[in-house]
Structure formats: C-alpha cells, structure tokens
Amino acid sequence: MPLPPLEEQKKIAQIFMTIDNKIEAEMKIKEELEKFKHGTMDKLLTGKVRIKVGEESG
C-alpha cells in the first residue's frame, strides 16, 4: 500500500492532534456542565434553593 510523503503524513498527524485536543477540551467542558446540572438539580429537588415563579397572566 503506497504511503503519502513524510511531510504530508506529518501535516495529517498534526490535523488529527488538533482535532483530538479540541475534542478533549470540549469533553472537559461537558463534564463540568454535567456536574453543575446535577448539583443544581439536587439543590432544587431538595428545596435548598427555591425558584420564584411569576404570576400567570390571564
């Protein structure tokens, strides 16, 4: 199986590394948001935090 020239292989590898780094960063953000969501839901469901609901119109 023929391979692309070494320089092209290096460029392709760099692109994949950049994509992998971006995915890893996004996954960390997702984990933090999930922790925040679960913490907020816990506080709301246990009544530790209350939400003021506005008056209904009509």
Side-chain angles (χ1 to χ4, degrees), residues 34-52:
E34 286 177 344
K35 287 179 190 176
F36 176 76
K37 176 187 170 191
H38 290 293
T40 303
M41 287 177 59
D42 180 58
K43 290 177 184 176
L44 291 170
L45 293 172
T46 58
K48 292 177 184 174
V49 173
R50 305 285 297 175
I51 297 177
K52 293 183 181 181

Side-chain angles (χ1 to χ4, degrees), residues 11-37:
K11 288 178 184 177
I12 292 169
Q14 183 63 41
I15 290 168
F16 282 127
M17 286 175 52
T18 302
I19 292 169
D20 284 344
N21 291 339
K22 179 69 173 170
I23 290 170
E24 188 175 324
E26 294 294 329
M27 288 176 69
K28 286 180 182 178
I29 292 170
K30 180 182 179 244
E31 287 176 12
E32 291 299 317
L33 289 172
E34 286 177 344
K35 287 179 190 176
F36 176 76
K37 176 187 170 191

